[in-house]
Amino acid sequence: MIYKKYLEGQSLNDIADLLTKMRVRTIRGNTRWNGSSIRVILTNEKYIGDAIAQKTFTVDYLLKERRKNKGELPQYYVQNLHEPIISKELYYLVQQERKRRACLKKKKYVRRRGRIRRKIFWKICAV
């Protein structure tokens, strides 16, 4: 439902509000959703049955300290690791829509009368 609502034009926050109103529980059992949770779902390759290995790594196994892998170790993309939840076509349509929406808006902060205000400038770019 999340992927379809996004393709229908709803924003991340609109989808989060809808799930909150429907009292759908998050992975941690909460009933309150936010837009960043929806973004994580929309960009997670595990929903199509794939996985990226070594997104994080253990720095110190005694202290159990983990870090995001920002190029320190190689990452591996594993396809068809498990049964997909959504189709790959739907997933890739959402990724294209995300790029399209990101291209449309460009935020710029300007200072006026001592206050910082946000202006949204529209731009067109190739997707």
Side-chain angles (χ1 to χ4, degrees):
M1 178 187 86
I2 293 171
Y3 284 81
K4 290 180 182 174
K5 291 288 184 188
Y6 188 78
L7 286 178
E8 289 173 2
Q10 290 193 6
S11 70
L12 301 177
N13 289 327
D14 289 343
I15 297 169
D17 291 343
L18 176 65
L19 293 172
T20 299
K21 287 177 187 171
M22 293 172 61
R23 314 259 321 147
V24 174
R25 294 199 176 273
T26 65
I27 191 83
R28 298 192 178 192
N30 301 325
T31 54
R32 186 173 176 104
W33 287 79
N34 59 47
S36 62
S37 301
I38 303 302
R39 185 179 60 250
V40 168
I41 290 171
L42 292 176
T43 59
N44 194 339
E45 77 286 344
K46 290 190 173 127
Y47 286 90
I48 58 172
D50 297 349
I52 297 175
Q54 296 190 130
K55 284 184 183 178
T56 62
F57 65 97
T58 304
V59 178
D60 187 350
Y61 70 92
L62 292 176
L63 298 176
K64 299 180 182 175
E65 182 184 346
R66 296 190 64 80
R67 286 194 193 146
K68 274 185 128 176
N69 185 358
K70 296 180 182 175
E72 294 90 349
L73 296 173
Q75 291 184 336
Y76 304 97
Y77 193 88
V78 183
Q79 294 182 341
N80 303 319
L81 185 65
H82 54 81
E83 190 70 31
I85 297 171
I86 62 163
S87 71
K88 289 189 180 199
E89 293 81 18
L90 181 61
Y91 178 81
Y92 289 119
L93 281 173
V94 166
Q95 302 320 304
Q96 284 180 339
E97 178 65 12
R98 286 185 65 247
K99 286 180 185 176
R100 187 189 73 79
R101 289 186 192 186
C103 244
L104 289 178
K105 276 196 270 185
K106 182 179 181 183
K107 296 176 186 173
K108 183 176 181 182
Y109 294 90
V110 293
R111 184 175 289 275
R112 278 203 189 143
R113 297 183 193 146
R115 295 178 65 190
I116 295 175
R117 299 182 187 265
R118 184 178 71 178
K119 281 190 170 182
I120 298 176
F121 293 93
W122 298 94
K123 67 174 187 172
I124 299 173
C125 58
V127 177

